[in-house]
Structure formats: structure tokens, C-alpha cells
Amino acid sequence: MPPPPPPAAAIGRRSSILSFAAARDRCFSRRFLRAGLRPLAIPLPTGVDDDAGTTVHVWVPANPPRNPLLLLHGFGASATWQWAPYLRPLIAAGYDPIVPDLLFFGASYTRLADRSEAFQARSIKAAMDAIGVARFGLVGVSYGGFVGYRMAAMYPDAVERVVLVCAGVCLEEKDLAGGLFPVAGVGEAADLLVPRRPEEVRRLVRLTFVRPPCIMPSCFLWDYIKVMGSDYIQEKTELLYALISERQLSDLPIISQPALIVWGERDKVFPMELAHRLKRHLGESSRLVVIRNAGHAVNLEKPKDVCRNIIEFFQEGVTEPLNDEKV
């Protein structure tokens, strides 16, 4: 497998003045800068946890964080697109967002062959160590929830509390053939989540949003694919195979931290069955919040509801009971 291009190459492809997607990408970056965050590329130490040849791009507070909150994005565009609406409410509530690009998204990459969520978890933890953050809260959306869950299991002394948003960590490979999902195999899942043509983007948007845009012109979708979806296609496909292949619930550890599970009531990508399965798996240390009239992209469809639940959860006392609710 040839090594991926360096982050500068990925960034360079976003510089077109005539590109709507590139302009939007710059707009999101400016929102991060105005919120007091700065971009940082962290090369991970050679020979430590086999992380040679890995660079994690992360947005960090300009000042040392006092109440750090790690935000992990899902598949799709880079972290800035998915977390921009959350910055100011979280900062106003007293939290210091730390927002990395997961490997093979944005400007983060590795030349190593490991595609597991455990490797993602080790890499993000190494980046947190590099910026001097030893303990933190964690929020993971979809694929970011898989990585976040693994981080919570691997580093219980570092991860204090966990929010999992539409993160189907309890799925099993047999669920695909069993008809639980809109796809019947890992290859079809990869085609869905790593779209390469406008019609594939339209299908993904219609599956993830309860109210998708009525009109999605092909010219804009091609622009989005070129700017945000043309990097690391093979590597992202490999991430999905590593995530789903031979996955069994019996292998999933039970994390010890208090956990908030947030789900879109009409999620078609990871149906509600997985939310209830995760709640049963974690037991009384978890709470399930279901957001009405929202799908898998609940973090984008209902950002105010999701952000309010995140803030309330982290402001709770650790010993308070967790009760399920629907909002």
C-alpha cells in the first residue's frame, strides 16, 4: 500500500477560490480561530506504541485547558464541519474543546497499516499526552464514538465521562446480513459512507437526515467530493472493514465511566435497536436520551438539543442517578 500524501497536500486541494466547499471549509476554520482555538499538527514519537509515521492534526485552546473536552467526529467532512456549532456554547459553559481530525480525515494521517479503532484511540491519546492533557471528558459522534468508547476502555484513568452520539458500538457483523441496516455487507457500507459520486452523496444525506435538502445540485456535490471526500478513500474503506469485520458484542468491554447515550429517534444508519443494546450493555452507569425528529446526523440536525444534553451531563455530579429521557 503506497504511503498517503502528507497533510499539506490535503490542505492544498481545498484552496480553490471558486469552490463553494473550499470557501465553507475556510469559514469553519475561521470560526474555530475566533473561538480561541489554534490548529496544531502533532507528529507522534517514533517507536512509541508503534506510532512512527503518524501525525494528528488537532484544534487546541490557545491557553492551557482547565476543563478539557475532547470532541471526536464521525465519517464525512473534517472535524471543523461537524463541531463548529458546538464551540461557543461549550466555551460559554466553561469547557475547553479539543478537536482532532481522526486519522485519514482532514490533515491527520499515518503510514502504518493498522486500521483498528484501538489504533485511532492510541493515536489520539498520544496527541493528548503531547499537549499535556492528562484527564478529560469525551464526546464521540458515530465513528468517533467507536474510537471514544475504545479510549474509555483503554484509558479509564484519563477519560472521566463519555457521551456517545449515534455510536453503534454494539453492532455485530451478522446484523448486516440480518437486515438491521440499510446495507447488507461491509462493502456496501463502505460505498455508502465513503461516497464517490453525487448520487451516492444524495443517498447518504437522505439516510442520515430526517429533513434532507430538497435540491442537491450535482455541481455542488462534485465540488464537495473533490474538496472534502477525495482524500484517503482506500484507507477510509479499510477503516470500515476493520470496524465491522468479525465484530461481536461479546468482545466489547464494559466501560466504567458514566456514559450518556444520545440517539436520533429516526436513525436509519444505526437504528434505535443499537441504542437500547448499548444501554443494556452498560447498565445503570448510562443514560439514554432520544432526540425526536432527528436521524443519524442528529448532531447537525439538532445541535442545540445535543449540545444542551452534553453540557448538562458534564455538569452533573458523578454520583447522581442516570435516568433515560426523550427530548
Side-chain angles (χ1 to χ4, degrees), residues 190-197 200-202 204 224-225 229 233:
D191 290 340
L192 173 66
L193 294 174
V194 190
R196 308 182 192 192
R197 295 182 293 274
E200 295 171 346
V201 178
R202 291 188 188 97
L204 179 60
Y224 171 82
I225 293 168
I233 290 176

Side-chain angles (χ1 to χ4, degrees), residues 117-128:
E117 69 258 45
F119 179 70
Q120 292 269 15
R122 289 198 304 273
S123 299
I124 298 300
K125 178 60 167 59
M128 296 294 279

Side-chain angles (χ1 to χ4, degrees), residues 4-322:
I11 294 172
R13 279 193 285 273
R14 300 180 191 173
S15 61
S16 173
I17 296 176
L18 300 179
S19 166
F20 175 80
R24 191 167 179 82
D25 189 52
R26 291 192 295 270
C27 179
F28 284 130
S29 295
R30 286 194 294 269
R31 289 177 67 176
F32 271 63
L33 292 170
R34 287 196 299 267
L37 278 72
R38 58 186 178 89
L40 189 64
I42 302 175
L44 300 185
T46 301
V48 176
D49 287 338
D50 295 325
D51 282 339
T54 300
T55 295
V56 174
H57 178 271
V58 57
W59 289 86
V60 300
N63 299 313
R66 292 178 296 178
N67 202 0
L69 190 58
L70 177 64
L71 306 179
L72 300 179
H73 64 85
F75 262 69
S78 61
T80 54
W81 288 56
Q82 300 186 37
W83 290 115
Y86 292 78
L87 296 181
R88 292 203 175 275
L90 291 173
I91 293 170
Y95 297 98
D96 298 302
I98 298 172
V99 189
D101 286 321
L102 296 174
L103 298 177
F104 301 121
F105 297 88
S108 295
Y109 73 103
T110 183
R111 289 186 170 86
L112 301 184
D114 195 338
R115 300 293 181 258
S116 67
E117 69 258 45
F119 179 70
Q120 292 269 15
R122 289 198 304 273
S123 299
I124 298 300
K125 178 60 167 59
M128 296 294 279
D129 291 341
I131 61 175
V133 176
R135 289 180 60 81
F136 48 90
L138 187 152
V139 183
V141 172
S142 192
Y143 178 67
F146 284 80
V147 177
Y149 192 100
R150 189 61 59 178
M151 287 187 72
M154 294 169 65
Y155 307 108
D157 293 334
V159 180
E160 297 175 327
R161 302 192 116 201
V162 181
V163 178
L164 302 168
V165 182
C166 292
V169 295
C170 285
L171 73 84
E172 299 184 291
E173 184 179 9
K174 66 181 182 182
D175 290 327
L176 278 74
L180 183 61
F181 304 109
V183 296
V186 183
E188 192 178 348
D191 290 340
L192 173 66
L193 294 174
V194 190
R196 308 182 192 192
R197 295 182 293 274
E199 58 269 25
E200 295 171 346
V201 178
R202 291 188 188 97
R203 184 190 178 202
L204 179 60
V205 170
R206 287 165 181 155
L207 276 172
T208 53
F209 286 81
V210 169
R211 294 184 178 87
C214 296
I215 301 175
M216 291 180 272
S218 293
C219 59
F220 287 103
L221 298 182
W222 276 121
D223 178 48
Y224 171 82
I225 293 168
K226 178 181 178 181
V227 173
M228 300 305 302
S230 61
D231 292 327
Y232 306 128
I233 290 176
Q234 179 61 36
E235 290 82 4
K236 289 175 182 175
T237 301
E238 292 167 0
L239 292 178
L240 288 170
Y241 273 92
L243 191 72
I244 300 173
S245 296
E246 300 183 0
R247 191 178 187 91
Q248 298 183 56
L249 180 58
S250 59
D251 296 332
L252 188 70
I254 298 175
I255 59 175
S256 59
Q257 298 90 337
L260 176 66
I261 305 164
V262 179
W263 225 269
E265 183 180 34
R266 296 166 64 181
D267 191 337
K268 297 178 182 178
V269 176
F270 291 143
M272 280 297 307
E273 160 60 23
L274 293 181
H276 295 301
R277 194 183 292 180
L278 179 56
K279 178 66 175 70
R280 292 192 298 270
H281 187 72
L282 295 179
E284 294 183 357
S285 66
S286 66
R287 179 174 72 228
L288 172 60
V289 171
V290 180
I291 308 292
R292 292 188 177 95
N293 299 315
H296 186 68
V298 62
N299 59 308
L300 301 177
E301 287 189 294
K302 298 291 184 76
K304 291 182 180 180
D305 290 337
V306 174
C307 193
R308 174 175 55 81
N309 277 281
I310 290 171
I311 291 171
E312 290 176 355
F313 173 71
F314 282 104
Q315 289 177 341
E316 291 172 355
V318 176
T319 59
E320 291 183 10
L322 301 178

